[in-house]
Amino acid sequence: MGKTSDLTAVQKTIIDTLHKEGKTQKVIAKEAGCSQSSVSKHINRQAKGRKKCGRKKCTSSRDNRTLQRIVTTNPFKNVGEIHKEWTAAGVSASRTTTRRLMKDMGFRCRIPCVKPLLNKKQRKKRLAWAKDKKDWTDAEWSKVMFSDESKFCISFGNQGPRVWRKSGEAQNPRCMRSSVKFPPSVMVWGAMSSAGVGPLCFLRSRVNAAVYQEVLEHFMLPAADQLYGDADFTFQQDLAPAHSAKTTSTWFKDHGIPVLDWPANSPDLNPIENLWGIVKRRMQYARPNNAEELKTTIRATWALITPEQCHRLIESMPRCITAVIEAKGAPTKY
């Protein structure tokens, strides 16, 4: 039993209809599923022609359009900056009103999605690659071992600036921030397939061709034995200099391991990126005190990844390929 303001549109319609038919308020309340007092107040309000009471709004429709334009023009501003710019335009409103109106407009403060920075040539090659792989089945993708490096920090609280956006605007270019590959950091190498994940390798130095080949020898080959046994597989890697070096290509040829062709600067196409995201979200509240504790936490969290999770990610590859084609080579979600 709610107040008059809590009545739904359906309840109000029922009350109005039954009232016109001459039904008593007691009967109307029973049919509408609300209290008799709510029925009485609604009928009296309709009779007096009073639709709404309360304090008059301090902003006009024009003021609200100005606020929406400010947020849309630069969605990375915080509430204080938006409020300052809005009041500078001649609007008299509090910061609380600013935040409330932004919420009423559908804006929510979210961490922006990250997209790789692509030029026209890279987009063209991504589109050609996607069209070439559009007919691949789940069985074909399950034969691919995906690999990548990822940066892990002791503190996960610094996630950069937030963005004001509405529901469904996560992939809107104006609500995304560009990323630059290979920032100076300590990286962790890992691999996955539809059968599960392989062992992790913590990289202690800058990865050149020689270091990368050591990783392949001591971590990728054991992962292949673990995930594929004697079955054939194709290895996936990005186009980092150490990966595309001639000596690395020779290493793959000598070991008889085919390498999947891969478009440049396309981490959004790699399903292992989703695994890194899962691990980091699970570690969100972990507070390791040093590098060794951080490694222990990463290993423990990585070990919790199930084959079912990996299989679902591999199954998403055809949808990912379709998204790239529809976007004409532009970045998809990352």
Side-chain angles (χ1 to χ4, degrees):
M1 301 297 181
K3 298 180 180 179
T4 309
S5 59
D6 297 330
L7 293 176
T8 65
V10 176
Q11 287 176 315
K12 292 178 181 179
T13 303
I14 294 174
I15 293 172
D16 293 337
T17 303
L18 295 180
H19 179 63
K20 290 179 181 179
E21 294 177 358
K23 302 293 184 181
T24 64
Q25 293 184 4
K26 185 176 181 180
V27 174
I28 295 174
K30 185 176 180 180
E31 291 293 330
C34 62
S35 66
Q36 189 172 337
S37 63
S38 295
V39 174
S40 177
K41 289 178 181 179
H42 177 73
I43 293 174
N44 292 335
R45 176 174 291 177
Q46 293 295 101
K48 293 179 181 178
R50 185 168 58 119
K51 294 184 179 180
K52 194 173 183 180
C53 60
R55 182 181 176 184
K56 185 179 178 181
K57 292 184 177 179
C58 64
T59 60
S60 64
S61 298
R62 182 177 181 179
D63 294 335
N64 295 345
R65 289 195 299 271
T66 301
L67 175 61
Q68 184 162 3
R69 183 170 61 251
I70 292 172
V71 179
T72 304
T73 302
N74 193 341
F76 288 91
K77 288 186 175 181
N78 58 41
V79 176
E81 294 170 332
I82 293 172
H83 173 70
K84 185 177 181 180
E85 184 174 346
W86 194 34
T87 53
V91 180
S92 178
S94 66
R95 180 167 174 164
T96 302
T97 298
T98 304
R99 179 184 290 275
R100 177 177 54 77
L101 285 175
M102 290 169 63
K103 185 177 181 180
D104 291 343
M105 291 175 186
F107 291 105
R108 300 294 184 270
C109 191
R110 299 287 185 261
I111 297 172
C113 296
V114 180
K115 65 174 183 178
L117 197 60
L118 298 172
N119 55 39
K120 291 183 179 180
K121 184 177 180 180
Q122 290 172 335
R123 290 189 180 190
K124 186 176 180 179
K125 288 185 176 181
R126 274 168 58 98
L127 180 59
W129 180 87
K131 289 181 177 179
D132 182 59
K133 302 292 187 296
K134 67 178 181 178
D135 295 325
W136 275 36
T137 62
D138 291 344
E140 289 176 294
W141 284 114
S142 66
K143 295 179 181 178
V144 178
M145 179 193 293
F146 292 91
S147 70
D148 193 27
E149 298 88 9
S150 185
K151 174 186 176 182
F152 283 82
C153 302
I154 289 181
S155 173
F156 294 92
N158 183 17
Q159 296 175 323
R162 299 175 76 89
V163 62
W164 290 98
R165 69 184 186 216
K166 296 182 179 180
S167 177
E169 290 186 338
Q171 303 303 319
N172 190 317
R174 70 175 183 80
C175 296
M176 302 175 73
R177 63 184 178 88
S178 298
S179 65
V180 180
K181 292 193 69 178
F182 308 116
S185 62
V186 175
M187 307 294 285
V188 181
W189 180 93
M192 64 159 289
S193 75
S194 61
V197 297
L200 291 175
C201 174
F202 293 92
L203 306 171
R204 298 182 178 180
S205 60
R206 185 175 180 179
V207 180
N208 54 29
V211 172
Y212 184 61
Q213 290 162 34
E214 289 292 321
V215 173
L216 296 174
E217 188 75 36
H218 299 292
F219 292 90
M220 191 275 282
L221 292 181
D225 291 337
Q226 173 187 331
L227 300 174
Y228 292 98
D230 295 330
D232 294 332
F233 72 96
T234 300
F235 185 70
Q236 179 277 336
Q237 60 180 2
D238 58 28
L239 300 183
H243 302 177
S244 55
K246 290 184 179 180
T247 55
T248 303
S249 299
T250 301
W251 187 95
F252 281 111
K253 290 180 181 179
D254 292 343
H255 288 77
I257 300 174
V259 178
L260 180 69
D261 59 303
W262 196 255
N265 203 10
S266 298
D268 55 319
L269 304 181
N270 194 341
I272 199 173
E273 291 290 344
N274 297 82
L275 284 189
W276 294 130
I278 291 172
V279 172
K280 290 178 180 179
R281 284 193 296 273
R282 290 180 177 177
M283 294 176 58
Q284 183 176 1
Y285 301 106
R287 291 294 179 266
N289 296 315
N290 51 56
E292 290 304 316
E293 289 185 10
L294 177 61
K295 291 179 181 179
T296 301
T297 306
I298 295 172
R299 289 192 187 97
T301 310
W302 182 256
L304 296 176
I305 300 295
T306 64
E308 290 75 19
Q309 287 176 301
C310 297
H311 185 69
R312 285 196 297 269
L313 290 175
I314 298 299
E315 284 184 330
S316 70
M317 284 302 297
R319 296 193 298 272
C320 182
I321 298 299
T322 301
V324 173
I325 295 175
E326 291 177 350
K328 298 181 180 180
T332 57
K333 65 179 180 179
Y334 167 35

